[in-house]
Amino acid sequence: MATSLPVQKRAWDTRERILAAAVTCLAEDGYAATTTSRIQERAGVSRGSLLHQFPSRDDLLIAAVQHLAIQRVDGIDIPRAAGTIDDAVEQIWLTFHGPLFKAALQLWAAAQHNPQLAEALRPREHELGGHIRGLITDLFGPEHVAHPGFADLVPVLVASMRGVALTYTFEPRDHRSDPNLATWKRLAHRILDA
């Protein structure tokens, strides 16, 4: 029994390397160029190890983006920002930048013309959406969540931020100084401070 733990740990480490490599490939190379061979090479694992854990490319790509996104959501420091409107808005905005969002964009675009990918992606995106809604609730804190306008504010913020973040794909710039950030904060204050 004592020898199974290192084997399980190695399997877990291999899985983590594969998932991280898949996200990196998606974000840097795009959906079409992200092949299982490329992921295998980047992860430094054998073909058998990759196929044992993920029998299809799309299963691997969806699992990678969802798994790492949930890790990132779970890793946000809630106690530091909880209850502060400006901090909550900034933390939400940060989730739309970096390799995870870029990788997710690749999957979303590919799903438009790939019904099997769309079918596999849909439930995982709903699951991730639940994690993100929980994060947003924790970021704003119970006082703001109890406000009658909170339920209307959150979808507007998320949809608007996602739309603006899309423009960064063809016009890279410093997201921390985006002029919309001040607008989102004013909107959140106007609704939640009323």
Side-chain angles (χ1 to χ4, degrees):
M1 193 68 139
T3 59
S4 68
L5 186 59
V7 171
Q8 289 173 347
K9 172 91 172 93
R10 279 196 310 273
W12 180 256
D13 290 346
T14 298
R15 178 181 171 81
E16 291 293 310
R17 283 200 326 270
I18 292 169
L19 293 172
V23 167
T24 301
C25 287
L26 264 176
E28 292 179 2
D29 306 329
Y31 178 79
T34 300
T35 63
T36 54
S37 297
R38 180 77 181 106
I39 294 166
Q40 172 195 340
E41 176 187 319
R42 185 168 225 133
V45 300
S46 70
R47 183 93 176 138
S49 292
L50 187 138
L51 293 176
H52 173 72
Q53 302 224 19
F54 302 99
S56 84
R57 177 183 143 206
D58 285 344
D59 288 341
L60 166 56
L61 297 180
I62 291 168
V65 171
Q66 302 301 306
H67 172 74
L68 294 177
I70 289 170
Q71 277 188 339
R72 179 171 176 181
V73 165
D74 290 346
I76 290 177
D77 185 10
I78 302 298
R80 181 181 59 76
T84 306
I85 291 173
D86 288 353
D87 286 342
V89 170
E90 287 176 14
Q91 288 294 320
I92 297 167
W93 176 232
L94 285 176
T95 66
F96 293 102
H97 301 281
L100 286 174
F101 183 67
K102 289 177 184 177
L105 286 178
Q106 292 295 319
L107 285 179
W108 297 343
Q112 181 179 10
H113 301 290
N114 182 334
Q116 292 84 9
L117 177 60
E119 183 70 25
L121 187 58
R122 190 175 301 111
R124 301 300 294 270
E125 282 293 319
H126 288 300
E127 178 186 340
L128 179 58
H131 280 288
I132 291 171
R133 284 188 295 280
L135 166 69
I136 291 170
T137 297
D138 291 344
L139 284 171
F140 276 100
E143 178 186 336
H144 294 122
V145 171
H147 190 284
F150 182 78
D152 293 331
L153 171 67
V154 171
V156 168
L157 283 178
V158 171
S160 177
M161 288 178 179
R162 184 182 296 128
V164 170
L166 286 171
T167 67
Y168 282 68
T169 61
F170 58 85
E171 190 179 332
R173 54 199 186 276
D174 184 0
H175 62 274
R176 293 166 299 191
S177 60
D178 192 295
N180 291 290
L181 190 53
T183 303
W184 293 320
K185 288 177 183 179
R186 281 194 307 274
L187 175 65
H189 278 285
R190 191 173 300 138
I191 291 172
L192 298 177
D193 289 341

